């Protein structure tokens, strides 16, 4: 049923403009978010998670679990992929739903949403960033179309984006965070074309800021450094590394030990390790990359429920959590 739903929606694609939403006070001007504890502890906690747009019935409980984890940890910045909006999914913005649940946990988050594709009023898919530190500036860039779905003999081309959110950390300055969701089941040249836009976009934006400005790049990249069919994917991973980024999760771990192809699902895998994704090949395709940061203090995969049944199921993806040291 989920596949039929997916095909029905994506066979009628229209492109939407990017938009943002900010938690504001009654005057509509001053954000209510505060992150003084980030300043005092001198590190920033970041979570990236793909929300699984097509699973509607359990979404409320899954968002509850994310909100509970974020409040207890605490998580300062949340990078979301497959945020949804529309009548078919019974919400005006699932990132806004999560924001409200976090507020109920006494944590206020600023929100920026960058819409990608959808059917007006029925279903829109987006990336989003939630931040406990005030969002100072945001900008999004559309990535080239990619064929990700075949319907009645036709290739359905989807268009994704990369969003930049600049957050203000009192006492530590401002930090740029990029969130993206690259194409799935697309051809090698299409994935290359998306990186051909994404990486220069980051370089262009970072050229406007001081040379030592810290940069975070996270999301669902649909790149597994072990997979070789239908094409070898490691070169795409290496393109990001060669652009000056460090894989925060792999920084102190041997890359070849992380969710090796053909092996059993392990604590390092981010797909094929959820009760919503049983039977899929276990892979590591969700990442948080860092550049010019002082250090990575902690990194782990969370919500990996097939490996650790004590963790809640929040998606067909596990999440990636990192803690980075601040200047």
């Amino acid at each position: 049923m989920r596949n039929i739903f997916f095909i029905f929606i994506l066979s009628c694609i229209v492109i939407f403009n990017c938009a943002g939403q900010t938690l504001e006070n009654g005057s509509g001007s001053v954000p209510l978010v505060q992150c003084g504890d980030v300043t005092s502890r001198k590190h920033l906690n970041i979570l990236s998670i793909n929300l699984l747009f097509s699973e509607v019935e359990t979404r409320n409980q899954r968002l509850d679990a994310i909100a509970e984890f974020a409040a207890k940890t605490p998580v300062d910045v949340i990078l979301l992929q497959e945020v949804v909006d529309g009548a078919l999914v019974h919400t005006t913005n699932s990132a806004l739903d999560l924001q409200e649940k976090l507020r109920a946990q006494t944590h206020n988050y600023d929100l920026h949403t960058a819409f990608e594709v959808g059917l007006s009023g029925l279903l829109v898919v987006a990336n989003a960033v939630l931040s406990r530190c005030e969002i100072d500036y945001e900008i999004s860039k559309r990535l080239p179309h990619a064929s990700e779905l075949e319907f009645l003999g036709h290739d359905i081309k989807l268009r994704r984006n990369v969003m930049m959110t600049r957050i203000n950390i009192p006492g530590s300055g401002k930090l740029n965070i990029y969130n993206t969701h690259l194409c799935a089941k697309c051809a090698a040249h299409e994935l290359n074309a998306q990186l051909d836009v994404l990486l220069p976009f980051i370089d262009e934006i970072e050229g406007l800021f001081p040379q030592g400005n810290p940069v975070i790049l996270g999301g669902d990249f649909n790149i597994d450094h072990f997979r070789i069919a239908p094409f070898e994917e490691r070169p795409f991973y290496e393109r990001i590394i060669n652009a000056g980024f460090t894989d925060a999760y792999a920084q102190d771990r041997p890359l070849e030990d992380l969710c090796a192809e053909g092996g059993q699902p392990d604590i390092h895998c981010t797909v094929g390790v959820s009760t919503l994704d049983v039977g899929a090949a276990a892979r590591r395709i969700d990442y948080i990359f860092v550049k010019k940061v002082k250090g990575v203090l902690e990194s782990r995969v969370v919500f990996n429920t097939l490996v650790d049944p004590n963790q809640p199921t929040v998606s067909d993806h596990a999440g990636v959590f990192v803690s980075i040291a601040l200047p």
Side-chain angles (χ1 to χ4, degrees):
M1 181 64 186
R2 192 163 63 198
N3 289 337
I4 295 174
F5 177 74
F6 180 82
I7 291 172
F8 169 74
I9 295 302
L10 296 182
S11 64
C12 307
I13 295 297
V14 294
I15 302 299
F16 280 74
N17 291 326
C18 298
Q21 296 186 351
T22 302
L23 175 64
E24 297 177 330
N25 69 4
S27 68
S29 59
V30 181
L32 298 174
V33 294
Q34 297 180 7
C35 62
D37 57 319
V38 176
T39 304
S40 60
R41 58 176 143 88
K42 288 292 184 180
H43 64 264
L44 186 76
N45 297 330
I46 305 167
L47 170 70
S48 179
I49 182 72
N50 180 316
L51 291 179
L52 178 57
F53 83 94
S54 58
E55 182 63 36
V56 177
E57 291 184 0
T58 63
R59 186 180 63 237
N60 191 54
Q61 298 95 308
R62 294 186 290 112
L63 293 180
D64 280 333
I66 294 172
E68 183 176 354
F69 172 83
K72 287 181 178 179
T73 302
V75 177
D76 307 310
V77 178
I78 308 175
L79 311 182
L80 300 173
Q81 304 88 46
E82 294 195 19
V83 169
V84 289
D85 173 348
L88 287 175
V89 287
H90 312 301
T91 182
T92 55
N93 185 332
S94 58
L96 182 61
D97 296 338
L98 179 56
Q99 183 191 45
E100 292 174 351
K101 290 178 182 295
L102 289 160
R103 192 182 310 165
Q105 298 270 4
T106 70
H107 288 282
N108 287 328
Y109 284 74
D110 222 343
L111 170 62
H112 172 51
T113 305
F115 292 105
E116 294 184 311
V117 295
L119 290 174
S120 180
L122 293 177
L123 173 67
V124 183
V125 182
N127 295 320
V129 172
L130 286 157
S131 173
R132 291 184 59 236
C133 299
E134 179 185 350
I135 294 177
D136 183 67
Y137 176 78
E138 65 272 338
I139 186 171
S140 300
K141 175 78 172 180
R142 294 200 180 279
L143 302 179
H145 289 85
S147 300
E148 302 186 51
L149 177 69
E150 183 177 314
F151 181 70
L152 299 178
H154 299 280
D155 286 332
I156 306 300
K157 291 185 177 292
L158 309 184
R159 193 164 192 177
R160 300 184 181 272
N161 66 45
V162 53
M163 58 188 300
M164 186 279 272
T165 305
R166 185 165 174 81
I167 65 171
N168 185 12
I169 306 172
S172 293
K174 298 180 180 181
L175 185 148
N176 292 347
I177 300 177
Y178 296 82
N179 180 29
T180 195
H181 186 184
L182 299 186
C183 61
K185 300 179 180 179
C186 53
H189 73 273
E190 292 173 312
L191 189 51
N192 247 328
Q194 292 191 344
L195 288 175
D196 284 343
V197 172
L198 184 149
L199 294 174
F201 170 72
I202 295 175
D203 286 343
E204 180 182 358
I205 296 299
E206 292 308 307
L208 303 175
F209 298 103
Q211 188 173 1
N213 187 63
V215 184
I216 310 295
L217 168 62
D220 175 0
F221 291 80
N222 281 304
I223 295 170
D224 177 355
H225 58 272
F226 285 113
R227 189 165 52 182
I228 58 175
F231 52 84
E232 186 180 1
E233 296 184 7
R234 187 159 184 162
F236 304 107
Y237 173 89
E238 290 176 345
R239 280 195 64 181
I240 299 171
I241 300 301
N242 291 337
F245 285 98
T246 297
D247 180 348
Y249 186 78
Q251 181 170 279
D252 297 317
R253 300 177 172 99
L255 192 61
E256 301 305 324
D257 292 345
L258 304 184
C259 196
E261 186 175 24
Q264 294 296 314
D266 60 34
I267 60 171
H268 311 297
C269 305
T270 66
V271 292
V273 289
S274 165
T275 55
L276 291 174
D277 197 27
V278 175
R283 295 180 287 120
R284 189 171 77 104
I285 62 174
D286 302 84
Y287 302 90
I288 296 177
F289 297 99
V290 298
K291 182 192 293 189
K292 301 175 185 175
V293 301
K294 187 176 180 181
V296 177
L297 304 179
E298 182 184 1
S299 61
R300 53 192 165 107
V301 171
V302 295
F303 311 127
N304 183 324
T305 52
L306 290 188
V307 175
D308 182 0
N310 293 318
Q311 296 193 58
T313 294
V314 303
S315 176
D316 59 340
H317 287 243
V320 180
F321 170 86
V322 303
S323 180
I324 65 167
L326 294 173

